Amino acid sequence: MTATARTRSDETADETAAAAGAPDKGDEVAAADTRKTDGQDGAGAGHDRAEGHDGAEGPDAAGFTGADADPDEDGDADLLDEAPHATSSSGVGTGAAAVVSTVLGFVALSGTWISDVAAERERVVGQLGMSQTAGPAEQITTMYGDPWHMTALVNGGFALLALVVAAVVLALPASGTSGTSGRPGWVRSFAWAGLALGVVGLFVSAGMYFDLFASMPAAPAAGTGQ
């Protein structure tokens, strides 16, 4: 068989194979290139998805740890911040009340313009109600006795108020902070002073009202002297 005959035989075989649907080498190479490209694209997409997933977890995890790290510690910190303010306010209030009780007790013993005004009013009211024919005893009671007793009542009211305020300060539970045990010494000193002055003021006012320290002036008996 000659070379020309073999060439024709090969061409005839190729035509027969093409007619039968067998793939040629060019088609096989193109298909292989397409599969390789698809594989690279799929790998790139998977890598992108993995990076996106990692990036999504990062902010969520950071946000969780930053916002909800330990709420109990935050609550304890707030309570610790508020506790000194509340304790300080309570200490100032009790100290002021102790000083006020002392001042009220002193006023109950020395008298005030309130007691003077009340006594003068009582005297004026008595004069307006007193008749022209009132005897000496009635005049003494109206001009001296009733104002004196009114002064004793007003001073006794201040003494009782001082006693109550001092007793409340001493009876309230002490709210000491860490490193302290109760109220300062000056607060207790003022409270005890107010309590003592209040008790003394009550006794003095009671003695004034019931004429224990000095008896009421008495008019001379009729018919004595010349």
Side-chain angles (χ1 to χ4, degrees):
M1 181 180 294
T2 61
T4 302
R6 285 196 302 270
T7 301
R8 290 180 180 177
S9 176
D10 293 337
E11 290 177 356
T12 302
D14 293 337
E15 290 176 356
T16 304
D24 56 1
K25 294 181 179 180
D27 294 337
E28 293 178 355
V29 173
D33 292 339
T34 302
R35 287 194 297 271
K36 185 183 296 184
T37 303
D38 294 340
Q40 292 177 354
D41 292 340
H47 181 68
D48 293 339
R49 286 194 298 271
E51 290 181 351
H53 182 67
D54 294 339
E57 286 183 352
D60 291 340
F64 176 79
T65 56
D68 302 328
D70 197 348
D72 294 336
E73 292 183 358
D74 294 339
D76 294 340
D78 294 338
L79 292 176
L80 291 176
D81 292 339
E82 293 175 359
H85 298 290
T87 305
S88 177
S89 300
S90 177
V92 171
T94 54
V99 174
V100 168
S101 68
T102 303
V103 174
L104 290 174
F106 178 78
V107 166
L109 291 175
S110 62
T112 62
W113 64 271
I114 298 177
S115 60
D116 295 339
V117 170
E120 289 296 330
R121 182 182 183 278
E122 188 68 21
R123 180 179 291 110
V124 171
V125 171
Q127 288 178 350
L128 293 175
M130 187 174 57
S131 63
Q132 296 293 333
T133 60
E138 185 179 354
Q139 291 180 6
I140 292 174
T141 301
T142 302
M143 299 298 295
Y144 178 78
D146 292 342
W148 177 262
H149 294 160
M150 180 59 64
T151 301
L153 286 177
V154 174
N155 291 342
F158 278 100
L160 181 61
L161 187 59
L163 182 64
V164 170
V165 173
V168 169
V169 172
L170 294 174
L172 287 177
S175 56
T177 57
S178 58
T180 62
S181 58
R183 298 186 182 90
W186 67 269
V187 175
R188 296 192 298 271
S189 299
F190 272 100
W192 280 112
L195 184 67
L197 291 174
V199 172
V200 174
L202 280 177
F203 280 110
V204 171
S205 298
M208 289 175 60
Y209 187 82
F210 294 105
D211 300 327
L212 298 179
F213 304 120
S215 61
M216 187 71 63
T224 59
Q226 295 180 349

